[in-house]
Amino acid sequence: MSRDRTEDKPHDEQRHSGAEIIIRALADQGVEVVFGYPGGAVLPIYDALFQQNNIRHVLVRQEGGAVHAAEGYARSTGRPGVVLVTSGPGATNAVTGLADALMDSIPIVCLTGQVATHMIGNDAFQECDTSGITRPCTKHNYLVKDPERLAVTLHEAFYVATNGRPGPVVIDLPKDIQVAEAPYVAPENVEHRTYRPRVRGDYAAIQEAVSLMAHARKPVFYTGGGVINSGPEASQLLRELVRKSGFPITSTLMGLGAYPASDRQFLGMLGMHGTYEANMAMHDCDVMICVGARFDDRVTGRLDAFSPGSKKIHIDIDPSSINKNVAVDVPIVGDVAHVLREMIEAYDASPVKPSAEDLAPWWADIARWRSRNCLAFEQKGDVIKPQYALKRLQELTRERGDVYFTTEVGQHQMWAAQFLEFEEPNHWMTSGGLGTMGYGLPAAMGVQVAHPDALVIDVAGEASTMMNIQEMSTLLQYRLPVKVFILNNRYMGMVRQWQELLHGGRYSESYMDSLPDFVKLAEAFGAVGLRAEKLGDLDDVIREMIETPKAVIADIAIDMKENVYPMVPSGAAHNEMIFGPEDKGESTATVTDEGMALV
Amino acid sequence: MSEKIEKHTISIVVDNEAGVLARVIGLFSGRGYNIESLTVAETDRERNISRITIVTSGTPMVIEQIKAQLGRLVPVHRVGDLTVEGPHVERELALVKVAGTGEARVESLRIADIFRARVVDSTERSFIFELTGSTSKLDAFINLMRPLGLVEVSRTGVVAISRGPEPM
């Protein structure tokens, strides 16, 4: 298909095959790259892809990798990620990634092949009820049964995926629809019938929020992934409002980078493995300004003890996030950037505002909490501490502006959140809601596709890495120089940590026996393998990893027994924490039997 | 916020497209909400609109959550909580099959008359009654029929609409 066709008048009478319509719609939606894997039910689409040059295709090694790659692409660019997989197993393999994107509100458009419409329901080869299976793990899904609806459905899917709270959308495409002929409809001629998410916040509520802020003495901003999803402007506006107000700010795992980590008003991440100062400030505050976060159980701890004395303001584009877990005083439904812009205007106009003196006692409290130095660790001896490895990784990459980090899921993920410093949004990709091991490597692949010259590092554990290791092959095929930085403790570390704390140290099935030699494994894929076994190797390995212009697996042998601290054990209140061995104070939490029943 | 369990009648106006009912039901089962009654039918063929009426129960926080979750389903036009949005009318229809002879048969007919139920089918040994009214009226009628030879019951579930000239 040539470019000039897209410049035809919108309702051209010409008829095109379904596959051509699909490719043309993707091009008109500005799609540059598709992550996918062919199969019987999508061959006409692959044939149309072959005959054009507008859209690149990245061939993954398993469909799960395609969705995570699209997530990485989407999160690092702010544009929707596009996936193309076949019917049956192609679609079911994509399900984990779709559920992941739904939980973390990532815009994905996933095209799945389907058996021909007359075969549906007959248990045909590679048939599955894709729309039924994906209904609860997508924002919306479609099964196209009418060729005339194909173009419209594609444009609608992009609209739904990217507007309101973003999320994954599946379009199931029977094979006969891919070959049937129909006219093309351009995106500007498509308007959605029902879906009109509200972006502007209610002005009276914004005024009320500002009035609470104006009289606050112990305020805190609690910000999340919604700030990042709202776009770069939201992060700028957040910085402006936070600096103007002089209030402290903490962030969820998903929101890191929206506010610069190096700023003195930033308290670090909050929640189960958040900092002492962030959790204490949340607990003791009088006004909480929640911006694009959703009071997740990893943040709140035991709900009845969550920030008992505060008035709570909650900005969220999704009305169902309001009062879901925590009842709030001032809900504002709207897009973060829109609301913050009006909030800043209202705050500027407010005759009263807390002065620096008004906030001084609060900052004194925070300084006391900070002085506990809750992330302290001691690097002694030859065995590498994971925290130290990440600190060095941070220091040795700091000079480069274009560094993107992804992670897998587990202890390394929490250490990465604690010890890497994010200054900008869209540079940190991690599976927050679903907690998908195997996310980081394919996500890094998607980031690198979007940013070919950037330094993209997947901070990984050895167990997670094994879950999507096949994508190393994709990295090599497309010359994507992703760095897989494995903090190798030979355990599913977070499982081991919970077994130590909650199950009497019975390490049931959490030891990773028979691990591969990661250096040789890297070489088998055609990548570069590096290993640091003792402290003296660490800096050299990191430097060599950064300087190597191709994919690298860096296997860092770390202290096998290290745990992530501080920790709010499940079932405890968010101001009750367990601290690491370097802490001089007392732990304020105990592990309870009730907590054992919680995830 | 109150922990008291309340019963609410919720009306959902949706695009009549494939899978829309599955979306609504899946939402209730997936998030652990109750469905006490559910009815659905197309109400506007030209505009391709269906109306789903659900009677559900939960704490006020859960009811609000149910409405918000319904509201964010893509094919949903409007979610109305008839229980809180002013007076409304609720009706349910039942078909009740009663078999018997002699005094029980006559008695069932007498009670049907009191309840303004219609006989829509009759054999020498049975009646089918058609009864419209509130859920509690239907319950009362069915309970009275039990000793008189109740065979089986088919009910529509609740349909509801707000009073007055305005649409929901």
Side-chain angles (χ1 to χ4, degrees), chain A residues 108-160:
Chain A
I108 298 289
V109 173
C110 176
L111 312 178
T112 57
Q114 181 57 278
V115 301
T117 46
H118 69 275
M119 308 271 283
I120 289 177
N122 286 358
D123 299 325
F125 178 64
Q126 293 197 327
E127 180 188 355
C128 73
D129 176 9
T130 300
S131 58
I133 290 169
T134 60
R135 196 174 291 126
C137 60
T138 52
K139 182 176 174 185
H140 194 53
N141 63 12
Y142 300 89
L143 167 61
V144 182
K145 284 179 151 176
D146 175 4
E148 307 279 329
R149 292 283 306 162
L150 181 58
V152 172
T153 304
L154 278 150
H155 298 314
E156 267 193 26
F158 277 87
Y159 171 81
V160 170

Side-chain angles (χ1 to χ4, degrees), chain A residues 355-433:
Chain A
S355 65
E357 293 80 65
D358 292 333
L359 296 176
W362 181 228
W363 278 108
D365 287 343
I366 289 167
R368 202 177 66 247
W369 295 323
R370 269 180 170 159
S371 69
R372 183 153 188 172
N373 196 14
C374 68
L375 297 177
F377 66 93
E378 198 181 350
Q379 174 62 58
K380 55 182 176 203
D382 237 5
V383 180
I384 301 166
K385 289 278 186 189
Q387 301 95 324
Y388 181 75
L390 287 166
K391 213 161 162 268
R392 290 307 294 154
L393 182 64
Q394 165 74 30
E395 284 159 1
L396 293 169
T397 56
R398 182 174 287 155
E399 296 309 309
R400 295 192 50 144
D402 55 343
V403 187
Y404 294 80
F405 286 101
T406 71
T407 75
E408 308 289 340
V409 168
Q411 285 184 318
H412 67 274
Q413 178 190 27
M414 293 296 107
W415 284 316
Q418 290 174 337
F419 289 92
L420 299 176
E421 292 177 8
F422 300 98
E423 302 292 308
E424 295 298 332
N426 303 102
H427 284 64
W428 162 246
M429 276 51 63
T430 191
S431 171

